[in-house]
Amino acid sequence: MLSHRIFYLKVKWGSMRFLDLFHKIDNIFFMGFPYTRPRRLRKNTLIRDMVAETELSVKDLIYPIFVEFGKGGEVKSMPGVFRYNVRDVGKIAKEVEALGIPAVILFGIPDKKDEVASGAYDEKGVVQEAIREIKEKTELVVIADVCLCEYTSHGHCGVVKNGKILNDPTLELLSKTAVSLAKAGADVVAPSDMMDGRVSAIRKALDKEGFEDVLIMAYSAKYASAFYGPFREAAESAPAFGDRSTYQMDMRNAREALKEVKMDIEEGADIVMVKPALSYLDIIYRVKELTNIPVAAYNVSGEYALIKAGEKLGWVDGKKVMMEVLYSIKRAGADLILTYFAKEVALILKE
Ligand code: PBG
């Protein structure tokens, strides 16, 4: 390369002024412009595709599904997202499978809520029924979210006493819930409550019941976020008093996320998750650097709703923004993405 450059220099010698010569010598040693032209790699679609650093595959996607005993309907703040009756969920799951999406994650809206979240670990609970229905109709990987907030009358993710959310008594209920979901056929349980020690409690309970093959995908770095708004409308899970800031993480912290992730791995998590995704890409990146286990990211309801709203107003190109967001999550390091866009993206990736 160097000899080639010296030759080039000789050929051009005649017409060269001192300053040009200076630049040429500079380039020989520092390889800058005009020898290096980044735009060459962007010349056309084929070249761009050949050198693209990030791949987004339908196999990376997990589609969230809301199930209920009622007749269901569209979630107002999430156009294109529905609550489904348990009996319809097999059909929906088949559509998801036909698109090549490998997994769904289930959230349930029970008929009745109480202080101890009975619906969460009821053998005939709404998610338990949905799991059986999906397993009967498809080969999909079925992930069950493990949390109490959809099932408690106060809407908190744990047992409440005197206005306090108690940690250790909650672990028992979470373990019971995880076992019940595994019994119904869940391949993966995903604790999203952010109680301390829930991964080891759930792991122990599953193993004791003979479910050592059931995976745990832990919502390890889950932030107390305003981006969950539309989900809480969909799942009717908004807390009746206070907020979730005594258990979910503070948005100002990054190193603390690494502590949470490390603890969850030590306790037996198979996959760790960062949630939300878009305002926390730096966390995804750091978690990926830290671990050697798969990293998931949750592209949450508010992130979905904002894009849909912008599209509806005609202010942004919704499809393009969607792709940009999903690629950014992958580029940051996510191996898996939970997203309400899964079906839409699958169609685009198929083209
Ligand atoms: C349950 C749970 C929530 C989400 C997933 N599991 C809501 C919350 O923590 O309040 C949010 C998902 C989303 O916004 O898409 N704890």
Side-chain angles (χ1 to χ4, degrees), residues 117-238:
S118 308
Y121 40 86
D122 180 353
E123 199 195 315
K124 294 208 165 66
V126 64
V127 172
Q128 284 81 349
E129 297 282 9
I131 294 171
R132 284 188 280 267
E133 175 76 15
I134 296 173
K135 278 290 169 189
E136 204 183 294
K137 303 253 160 67
T138 73
E139 304 282 312
L140 286 172
V141 172
V142 177
I143 308 173
D145 185 85
V146 176
C147 197
L148 307 184
C149 61
E150 295 111 280
Y151 305 91
T152 49
S153 39
H154 45 68
H156 275 291
C157 307
V159 175
V160 174
K161 206 168 175 189
N162 302 328
K164 261 193 164 174
I165 294 94
L166 304 181
N167 195 85
D168 298 11
T170 303
L171 300 182
E172 274 173 48
L173 300 186
L174 291 171
S175 303
K176 242 161 87 171
T177 304
V179 168
S180 152
L181 295 164
K183 274 189 185 148
D187 302 289
V188 184
V189 292
S192 67
D193 52 283
M194 286 303 275
M195 297 298 132
D196 295 333
R198 86 268 213 226
V199 174
S200 68
I202 289 172
R203 185 72 272 159
K204 274 193 204 118
L206 288 174
D207 290 0
K208 196 164 148 241
E209 297 290 326
F211 293 113
E212 51 280 289
D213 290 341
V214 170
L215 286 82
I216 298 180
M217 176 167 79
Y219 288 69
S220 301
K222 177 173 175 179
Y223 287 84
S225 169
F227 283 98
Y228 306 151
F231 174 97
R232 291 181 190 164
E233 180 211 320
E236 296 172 8
S237 65

Side-chain angles (χ1 to χ4, degrees), residues 79-100:
V81 173
F82 296 80
R83 284 163 46 155
Y84 298 103
N85 179 279
V86 207
R87 278 180 303 280
D88 300 329
V89 82
K91 203 181 94 213
I92 302 308
K94 272 186 135 163
E95 282 173 30
V96 172
E97 187 175 43
L99 287 166

Side-chain angles (χ1 to χ4, degrees), residues 19-39:
L19 201 63
D20 289 337
L21 179 64
F22 184 79
H23 279 141
K24 286 297 169 207
I25 290 172
D26 198 50
N27 281 336
I28 287 168
F29 293 108
F30 297 104
M31 312 247 298
F33 180 81
Y35 302 102
T36 306
R37 288 178 183 270
R39 287 186 56 196

